[in-house]
Amino acid sequence: MAVRDPALQTKRDRGDLATAIGVGALAIGFLLFDGVRQITELFSAPDAVTVRAPASAQTITADIADGVPASTDIVILSVEHVNVVSIVSLLLGVVISTLGLIATAVFATLVCRRLLRNVVFDRVNTRLAFAASVGLLVAGLGGMWFHNMGLNGVFAAIGGEFDGQTALLMDAIPTLIAAFAVGVLVIVFRRGSVLQKDTEGLV
């Protein structure tokens, strides 16, 4: 059985952590860009708001070659005379989801930096992981809540009723699962911190 070289393993771990920090920085930049893009798209039509909304599956002719039959369950609407509360809700949906994800990326990057400095089980890492979990929950639930409120107003402005709440929830599920996973990591950090203190007390 081959024996791992501790120095080589440490070098690999540090390389992985440095890569994670770089990915975190790129993710923050991308999230900022995407948030601005969503807000720009929201107000892209003069005197109207433009939204993407889930809808019942509809048959369309896709603009491919000479046109081919297709189906879609997403519609893009540009609607005038939407009430201010709904517009603010749509804006808050974008802002809250974007800031929640950015905060999570920042906290995760800080944890990686501390791990790179060989700081693993301590209260700061536990709190950072907890904050990251909360950020994901806020992004998922808060973004979905305000987006739903905004779409209700958009559909009301055109005499319809929005019934795509299930689709919005399904879109938020990956973020909520990620929040749960990070929450488990919080327990690991907390338990590890306690065990480390107990071990230090025995030395």
Side-chain angles (χ1 to χ4, degrees):
M1 182 177 178
V3 179
R4 286 187 176 181
D5 183 357
L8 179 59
Q9 186 61 47
T10 299
K11 183 178 180 181
R12 288 177 177 175
D13 291 342
R14 292 181 67 83
D16 290 342
L17 288 169
T19 300
I21 292 171
V23 170
L26 289 175
I28 292 169
F30 172 78
L31 288 167
L32 282 171
F33 170 80
D34 189 59
V36 172
R37 180 195 61 79
Q38 290 184 66
I39 293 174
T40 302
E41 183 180 80
L42 183 63
F43 300 108
S44 59
D47 303 319
V49 292
T50 301
V51 295
R52 295 173 181 265
S56 301
Q58 303 172 42
T59 300
I60 63 170
T61 300
D63 187 16
I64 303 174
D66 295 328
V68 294
S71 63
T72 181
D73 57 0
I74 296 290
V75 295
I76 299 177
L77 304 172
S78 291
V79 182
E80 298 179 343
H81 309 301
V82 178
N83 65 77
V84 175
V85 173
S86 296
I87 294 175
V88 172
S89 294
L90 289 169
L91 187 60
L92 285 175
V94 173
V95 171
I96 288 175
S97 61
T98 299
L99 291 183
L101 292 176
I102 288 175
T104 298
V106 170
F107 294 139
T109 301
L110 289 175
V111 170
C112 289
R113 286 188 61 185
R114 291 176 61 80
L115 293 177
L116 195 59
R117 298 172 182 172
N118 296 320
V119 180
V120 184
F121 297 118
D122 72 342
R123 290 183 179 179
V124 176
N125 281 351
T126 301
R127 290 170 180 169
L128 286 172
F130 177 75
S133 180
V134 172
L136 287 168
L137 281 175
V138 170
L141 294 178
M144 179 186 66
W145 176 270
F146 284 104
H147 195 192
N148 178 62
M149 288 181 60
L151 290 177
N152 282 332
V154 170
F155 276 69
I158 56 178
E161 183 176 350
F162 178 63
D163 59 0
Q165 288 80 8
T166 301
L168 292 181
L169 177 60
M170 294 305 295
D171 287 342
I173 287 296
T175 304
L176 300 180
I177 292 176
F180 170 76
V182 177
V184 173
L185 188 60
V186 172
I187 298 173
V188 172
F189 274 123
R190 183 180 296 133
R191 184 57 180 166
S193 179
V194 172
L195 290 175
Q196 181 171 280
K197 285 184 178 180
D198 291 344
T199 302
E200 290 173 350
L202 295 174
V203 177

